[in-house]
């Protein structure tokens, strides 16, 4: 967020761009019944517009990233690789996941239903009337231009054992696998909400004696995916320890700052309906309007707060 090292930007854009083509192919398979892949819809709060939840939530995610030096997904990797601040961010993230299910209904105002028979235009190409293949090609070319510009014109930064494009392509492969095997795009922040939902389900069962059959059981798909992230990071660290840079010191983040940042980041991600993985990689790859608004808000919030701190 300090614009001093564009390594993560290269990873992010290469992951999103490499996910766009598989997302297009799998969306085509949907018509034949093989998978179901829907663009991300808006997350309205009913405050000031259709995308107000994406804007407010995206800003909060950016604030949290500036405070913690991580996103909801990389917090899990920080824990695995021994980054001390990751524990503080994780505590705040779990608290955010616990809080959101309890207060979300109070934050969202009723929104008017869409007109009968009207199909919402959720993507850039549907909004502009552009052919899907053409729109994906333009997006991939734009990402490539930004990546090359960052490599040529950007600061050198710290040398990494793994090239950012390699990491991005691996993340894109994970996106394709998730879409093909589960019909769902990747996303991590949902896992924290699932933890919160499971906690309150257990709380109501134990202390309020609410029968389990009268409450809907939350999904655990995102929690399982998060566990896979942890397992993958652990396997990499222990099998190829040279891929972890000892020269990169843990960010100097206080406990309060880490917990606050983790809370704001996850709470905002749930308001927006996704985080850097759900919107930034999956949603952007499908050219979802809500994801573009959310990611722009993330960067605006993160860069803005970093300049103030």
């Amino acid at each position: 967020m300090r614009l001093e090292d564009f390594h993560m930007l290269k990873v992010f854009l290469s992951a999103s761009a490499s996910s766009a083509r598989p997302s297009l192919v799998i969306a085509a398979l949907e018509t034949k019944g093989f998978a179901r892949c829907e663009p991300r819809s808006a997350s309205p709060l009913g405050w000031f517009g259709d995308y107000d939840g994406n804007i407010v939530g995206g800003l909060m995610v950016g604030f949290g990233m500036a405070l913690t030096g991580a996103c909801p997904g990389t917090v899990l990797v920080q824990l695995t690789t021994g980054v001390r601040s990751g524990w503080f961010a994780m505590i705040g993230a779990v608290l955010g996941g616990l809080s959101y299910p309890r207060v979300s209904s109070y934050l969202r105002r009723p929104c008017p239903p869409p007109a009968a028979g009207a199909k919402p235009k959720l993507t850039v190409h549907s909004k502009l009337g552009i052919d899907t293949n053409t729109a994906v090609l333009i997006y991939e070319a734009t990402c490539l231009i930004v990546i090359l510009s960052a490599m040529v014109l950007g600061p050198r930064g710290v040398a990494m054992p793994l090239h950012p494009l390699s990491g991005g392509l691996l993340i894109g492969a994970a996106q394709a696998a998730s879409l093909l095997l589960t019909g769902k795009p990747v996303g991590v922040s949902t896992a924290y909400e699932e933890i919160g939902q499971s906690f309150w389900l257990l709380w109501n069962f134990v202390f309020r004696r609410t029968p389990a059959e009268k409450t809907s059981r939350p999904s655990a798909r995102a929690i399982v995916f998060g566990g896979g992230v942890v397992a993958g990071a652990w396997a990499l660290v222990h099998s190829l320890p040279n891929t972890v840079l000892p020269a990169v010191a843990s960010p100097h983040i206080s406990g309060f700052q880490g917990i606050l940042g983790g809370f704001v980041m996850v709470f905002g991600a749930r308001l927006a309906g996704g985080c850097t993985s759900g919107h930034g990689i999956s949603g952007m790859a499908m050219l979802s309007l809500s994801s573009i608004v959310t990611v722009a808000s993330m960067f605006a919030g993160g860069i803005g707060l970093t300049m103030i701190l």
Side-chain angles (χ1 to χ4, degrees):
M1 292 297 180
R2 296 182 182 277
L3 304 179
E4 296 174 352
D5 190 333
F6 294 120
H7 179 88
M8 288 306 299
L9 177 66
K10 299 169 192 173
V11 174
F12 173 79
L13 290 178
S14 58
S16 186
S18 62
S19 299
R21 191 62 54 175
S23 298
L24 183 63
V25 172
I26 293 171
L29 291 176
E30 176 188 343
T31 61
K32 301 182 181 296
F34 286 99
R36 184 166 184 81
C37 177
E38 293 287 346
R40 289 190 173 261
S41 57
S43 182
L45 296 174
W47 295 359
F48 57 83
D50 294 338
Y51 296 99
D52 52 357
N54 300 98
I55 295 172
V56 174
L59 287 171
M60 292 178 67
V61 173
F63 294 158
M65 291 170 63
L67 291 171
T68 63
C71 68
T74 54
V75 166
L76 303 176
V77 178
Q78 285 185 342
L79 294 180
T80 309
T81 54
V83 177
R84 180 173 175 269
S85 62
W87 290 101
F88 300 130
M90 185 66 179
I91 293 172
V94 172
L95 291 175
L98 291 173
S99 301
Y100 179 77
R102 304 298 288 183
V103 303
S104 60
S105 60
Y106 299 102
L107 297 175
R108 296 187 186 274
R109 299 174 181 175
C111 298
K119 186 177 180 180
K121 296 181 179 181
L122 303 178
T123 61
V124 174
H125 45 284
S126 64
K127 197 78 170 179
L128 299 177
I130 302 175
D131 175 70
T132 303
N133 285 288
T134 302
V136 169
L137 184 61
I138 293 173
Y139 176 68
E140 291 173 333
T142 302
C143 289
L144 180 60
I145 291 172
V146 175
I147 292 170
L148 292 176
S149 299
M151 294 175 65
V152 174
L153 304 176
R156 287 293 180 182
V158 180
M160 296 288 182
L162 185 66
H163 196 279
L165 298 187
S166 301
L169 291 174
L170 289 173
I171 295 173
Q175 163 80 325
S178 179
L179 287 172
L180 188 61
L181 297 175
T182 70
K184 301 289 185 180
V186 298
V188 177
S189 67
T190 308
Y192 299 99
E193 184 179 356
E194 289 177 355
I195 291 172
Q197 291 172 338
S198 300
F199 173 84
W200 293 117
L201 177 66
L202 180 62
W203 177 276
N204 291 333
F205 177 73
V206 173
F207 295 101
R208 296 186 178 181
R209 306 297 181 185
T210 304
E213 61 271 12
K214 291 188 177 181
T215 56
S216 58
R217 297 185 179 181
S219 169
R221 189 189 69 87
I223 295 177
V224 174
F225 179 80
V229 172
V230 172
W234 183 90
L236 182 65
V237 168
H238 287 79
S239 60
L240 298 171
N242 290 334
T243 58
V244 180
L245 260 188
V248 179
S250 301
H252 298 289
I253 296 171
S254 68
F256 174 77
Q257 180 179 334
I259 293 172
L260 176 62
F263 178 89
V264 171
M265 178 170 60
V266 166
F267 197 94
R270 300 321 307 146
L271 280 181
C275 60
T276 46
S277 55
H279 276 303
I281 296 174
S282 303
M284 291 282 285
M286 290 183 269
L287 305 182
S288 300
L289 284 167
S290 63
S291 297
I292 294 173
V293 172
T294 303
V295 171
S297 301
M298 289 179 191
F299 278 100
I303 294 173
L305 183 60
T306 300
M307 293 175 66
I308 295 172
L309 294 177

